[in-house]
Amino acid sequence: MTANRVADAHVDVLWRMLGDGAAFHGDSELRASYCRLRRGGVCTQVFALYVPPHRQSGTQLEQVLTCVDLFYREVVRAGQVAPVRSREELRQARERGELAALLSLEGGGCLRGQTALLRVLYDLGVRGVGLTWNDANELADGCREPRGAGLTEAGRQVVREMNRLGMWLDLAHLSDAGMSDVLALMDGPVMASHANARAVHPHPRNLPDEVIRALIRRRGWIGLVFEASFVAPLERASSEDVFRHLDHILDLGGEDCVGFGSDFDGASHPLPGLADAADYAPFAEQVVNRYGRDLGEKILWKNFDRFLTEALPNR
Ligand SMILES: [Zn+2]
């Protein structure tokens, strides 16, 4: 039996490497180490550039740049992990059987509202941006900010510059007002890298149906997340509950727009049955058995591949 392929839009490996000095290759305790990703069949992985928002803006940028350095020095490895910044690099990674590795910023506090810093990150290979973490910053309010405001003027400028550069915008962690501002303002690719359906499990980190419908309409993408508290009531959440979110998004018409963004190495409550990347192998079997090979493969990796192919620059 050959393992199914899987694409995953969100892990916090770089954050763990920076904080704990964890190794990605070789003997590693990371939930999404190279070995575990490969055992799970992962062929595409987005690595988040996450910084705790309570750090000062200047320190945040330093930390993001240090994580970019870790990515190129300790994650990327010839023959095993290829940095992907374009369609052509994605094609080459596939051809060589390498793990396609992409960078996305989680929380735009480090930009300090400056589009120049966004352009520098783009030049360093960052292809996606989530404007906030849970709190407010110079760009917008996050989903846990009581004020619940949308984009600031600086946030609008950053979104316009992302449009121009051709970066994808990640709605995960953004406030509801921020999500509707982005959907009105952004012409380019929009996705939610790690979020579930609020209609299935009411949590501010999960997406309301109108946002899911809007993402489906504009050929965006939604990555279901395995943080247990976003999946179901914490005391009884299991990998089975992920199918309730998946079925709901499929019911809304999302068969071309849904996949997974695990949050491995970032989740506070790992989900029983989907606690590390190696668990993708048996889970992917379940997905194929439940939905059939064609739809199963779309959910597992082809939908995200389609999204990336449309979102990335040619070269
Ligand atoms: Zn997150």
Side-chain angles (χ1 to χ4, degrees):
M1 186 194 76
T2 49
N4 290 290
R5 284 184 180 186
V6 177
D8 186 303
H10 190 93
V11 292
D12 280 308
V13 159
L14 296 172
W15 160 243
R16 289 282 317 278
M17 291 170 71
L18 183 69
D20 315 344
F24 178 69
H25 289 276
D27 192 20
S28 171
E29 74 271 27
L30 291 173
R31 291 177 187 270
S33 66
Y34 179 72
C35 286
R36 291 197 174 92
L37 287 169
R38 286 318 219 179
R39 258 193 278 148
V42 176
C43 61
T44 302
Q45 182 64 64
V46 180
F47 292 80
L49 296 164
Y50 165 74
V51 188
H54 51 81
R55 303 276 172 98
Q56 284 183 336
S57 301
T59 318
Q60 287 185 27
L61 182 63
E62 182 183 324
Q63 192 157 326
V64 164
L65 295 178
T66 310
C67 285
V68 172
D69 180 61
L70 279 172
F71 176 77
Y72 286 109
R73 276 191 309 120
E74 295 190 20
V75 172
V76 166
R77 190 176 275 190
Q80 296 182 330
V81 183
V84 166
R85 292 149 298 201
S86 66
R87 242 172 267 178
E88 177 58 18
E89 286 180 335
L90 181 63
R91 196 191 59 74
Q92 284 175 7
R94 289 276 177 276
E95 205 173 271
R96 296 176 185 148
E98 294 166 333
L99 177 71
L102 298 101
L103 284 174
S104 182
L105 181 64
E106 181 176 31
C110 70
L111 300 176
R112 311 176 80 170
Q114 296 177 47
T115 51
L117 299 183
L118 178 75
R119 287 190 290 276
V120 169
L121 291 184
Y122 182 88
D123 288 341
L124 292 174
V126 180
R127 290 294 176 266
V129 173
L131 298 175
T132 66
W133 196 63
N134 290 337
D135 60 328
N137 62 25
E138 293 86 346
L139 309 181
D141 280 7
C143 63
R144 290 289 203 183
E145 181 67 39
R147 179 175 54 181
L151 265 58
T152 63
E153 183 47 37
R156 287 172 193 278
Q157 280 171 20
V158 163
V159 169
R160 285 188 203 105
E161 189 63 2
M162 288 178 66
N163 257 328
R164 199 188 65 79
L165 290 165
M167 300 175 94
W168 76 73
L169 200 148
D170 184 352
L171 295 179
H173 290 282
L174 197 56
S175 66
D176 285 6
M179 289 197 265
S180 51
D181 284 353
V182 164
L183 289 166
L185 188 67
M186 180 87 178
D187 298 322
V190 182
M191 52 96 95
S193 65
H194 59 308
N196 293 330
R198 206 179 285 173
V200 175
H201 180 58
H203 190 289
R205 271 283 282 105
N206 289 340
L207 305 171
D209 279 357
E210 61 266 26
V211 170
I212 295 172
R213 284 204 184 88
L215 286 172
I216 291 169
R217 256 195 320 269
R218 56 192 291 159
R219 289 174 65 76
W221 184 86
I222 298 152
L224 298 178
V225 59
F226 309 148
E227 155 63 44
S229 63
F230 304 168
V231 171
L234 198 49
E235 52 299 344
R236 59 171 174 79
S238 81
S239 59
E240 268 299 304
D241 293 297
V242 173
F243 290 114
R244 296 194 295 122
H245 293 273
L246 195 43
D247 287 341
H248 180 72
I249 291 175
L250 293 173
D251 284 346
L252 295 177
E255 70 166 73
D256 296 325
C257 305
V258 67
F260 304 106
S262 61
D263 209 7
F264 291 139
D265 293 303
S268 314
H269 310 95
L271 189 65
L274 274 169
D276 72 41
D279 288 339
Y280 263 132
F283 180 73
E285 278 298 301
Q286 284 181 274
V287 171
V288 169
N289 289 338
R290 190 178 170 108
Y291 300 103
R293 178 140 306 271
D294 281 357
L295 179 54
E297 286 186 346
K298 286 213 273 186
I299 294 165
L300 289 170
W301 70 279
K302 286 183 174 168
N303 285 344
F304 193 51
D305 213 64
R306 187 271 308 161
F307 176 82
L308 288 179
T309 303
E310 292 173 6
L312 291 171
N314 264 332
R315 296 183 177 272

